[in-house]
Amino acid sequence: MDIVCALRTFLRVAETGSFSAAAIDLKLTQPAVSRQVSALEAQLDTRLLHRSTTALALTAEGERMIPMALRVIEAVEALGDSAGPVGTASGKVRLSLPTPLGLYMSDRLAALLDRHPELSVELLFREEPSDLIGEGIDLEVRLGPVSDSSLICRRIGWTTAFLVASSAYLEKRGPPQTIEDLSHHDCICYRRGGDGRSWLFSNGSDQVAVRVAPRFVVNNAVAVHRAALAGAGIAILSHILAAPDICAGRLINLVPDFPPARLPINLVHSSRRNMPLRVRTIIEYLVAAMREDPFMASSSASGPNERCLAGKA
């Protein structure tokens, strides 16, 4: 039995919660997946999964096996990287990140994949922190402070966001003259790791938190963007989504002298040694991608097209 292959199969079954789903991901038959897991259990003399006709669940031993399996696979991959062609990454990297940054990276990954034909990337759009080890996620981008001291954390950039609304909404309700005026407006809240009803603004010297009473709350930034374009209310949007619409006049940048506060963009991963080349390659590419965008490059950066982004309110 190929123990590494069996461990990979077990991890995929644990992640998907299904033999059939794991078989599809691994391009195997369902019986083949079941045989590999059974062989692994026989080799270890330990039951890793509870099976029934309707459900599949990890045993306590299976839960403990996940971090150990990840360490074994990473060690093998690191050994393969050191023996393989210099500078060529191979294997799959699972990268979790917020929706706007996921869209930003989707536009830029083709060049990296061209340079590394054996590398593949699975993007997971997440609005809240993931269980990296339990879900087999290699890297995650998180916005704001990272409180989990067990994770390796690296700041790779800063967010830039705009307070925006469509002309249609502003014609009905008028623009807010100050951020305090938001309490009298329809707001579209992006709930990410909280209730989304407290908006933080900064003019460079002062920070002010404004409590809003939204009529529409959603946990996906693209849905917030579409609702704002449709005239549903005022929203805070990442520059990745908002800047093209502001420059085209589809959205208006509001109260530009007191914009939404900027947050650090952090890249986190588990505290593991022997990081595979495939993961190091993605980290380097992410860092370079942040530096290419002046809106994210530094804590004080101002982006291009400042005139069109200056706002009319």
Side-chain angles (χ1 to χ4, degrees):
M1 178 185 67
D2 184 336
I3 189 71
V4 174
C5 183
L7 287 171
R8 286 196 179 100
T9 301
F10 162 68
L11 289 173
R12 205 58 177 161
V13 171
E15 178 189 349
T16 61
S18 164
F19 283 122
S20 58
I24 292 171
D25 286 352
L26 297 169
K27 297 181 174 57
L28 298 171
T29 65
Q30 183 173 333
V33 168
S34 181
R35 283 195 299 271
Q36 285 195 26
V37 173
S38 295
L40 180 62
E41 290 176 322
Q43 178 72 25
L44 300 174
D45 194 23
T46 301
R47 180 172 290 277
L48 301 175
L49 296 167
H50 291 301
R51 303 164 175 82
S52 73
T53 56
T54 59
L56 190 69
L58 286 166
T59 63
E61 293 77 13
E63 292 278 3
R64 290 197 295 270
M65 173 59 66
I66 287 175
M68 291 187 285
L70 287 169
R71 287 195 294 271
V72 169
I73 292 170
E74 286 164 4
V76 170
E77 289 177 343
L79 181 62
D81 288 340
S82 64
V86 176
T88 301
S90 63
K92 181 166 73 173
V93 176
R94 304 190 77 219
L95 170 63
S96 170
L97 64 184
T99 300
L101 282 171
L103 298 174
Y104 178 81
M105 292 307 301
S106 296
D107 292 337
R108 288 159 177 78
L109 280 171
L112 177 68
L113 297 177
D114 283 345
R115 292 203 301 270
H116 300 272
E118 300 301 317
L119 178 68
S120 64
V121 179
E122 181 178 353
L123 292 184
L124 306 170
F125 288 15
R126 298 283 175 87
E127 310 303 332
E128 298 184 8
S130 307
D131 176 2
L132 301 188
I133 293 177
E135 298 183 65
I137 293 172
D138 298 292
L139 298 167
E140 182 161 79
V141 177
R142 297 184 184 177
L143 308 183
V146 176
S147 58
D148 190 342
S149 60
S150 69
L151 298 174
I152 295 175
C153 177
R154 176 179 178 180
R155 191 180 66 211
I156 60 174
W158 294 85
T159 64
T160 296
F162 296 99
L163 183 71
V164 297
S166 69
S167 297
Y169 173 81
L170 297 176
E171 287 171 5
K172 292 186 298 182
R173 300 294 301 276
Q177 299 303 313
T178 68
I179 55 175
E180 288 77 11
D181 291 344
L182 291 172
S183 60
H184 306 299
H185 278 271
D186 296 339
C187 294
I188 309 165
C189 285
Y190 170 30
R191 186 175 63 191
R192 183 184 55 80
D195 66 2
R197 293 170 170 82
S198 183
W199 289 358
L200 188 64
F201 298 86
S202 175
N203 63 0
S205 57
D206 298 317
Q207 281 198 347
V208 177
V210 176
R211 191 74 177 172
V212 297
R215 297 188 64 194
F216 185 24
V217 180
V218 64
N219 68 346
N220 182 279
V222 173
V224 174
H225 178 218
R226 295 181 67 163
L229 286 171
I234 296 175
I236 290 178
L237 286 173
S238 164
H239 78 282
I240 296 168
L241 297 172
D245 292 311
I246 294 172
C247 288
R250 293 183 292 268
L251 291 174
I252 308 301
N253 183 18
L254 304 171
V255 199
D257 293 334
F258 219 123
R262 304 187 74 194
L263 300 173
I265 302 173
N266 292 310
L267 182 63
V268 300
H269 54 93
S270 300
S271 300
R272 311 173 193 161
R273 293 178 293 177
N274 302 321
M275 181 180 291
L277 177 60
R278 58 184 173 82
V279 176
R280 298 198 304 270
T281 299
I282 294 298
I283 290 176
E284 293 168 3
Y285 197 71
L286 279 168
V287 171
M290 296 298 106
R291 290 174 180 164
E292 288 176 0
D293 189 320
F295 282 112
M296 295 187 282
S298 74
S299 59
S300 60
S302 58
N305 299 318
E306 291 181 1
R307 185 181 300 276
C308 80
L309 295 174
K312 301 178 182 178

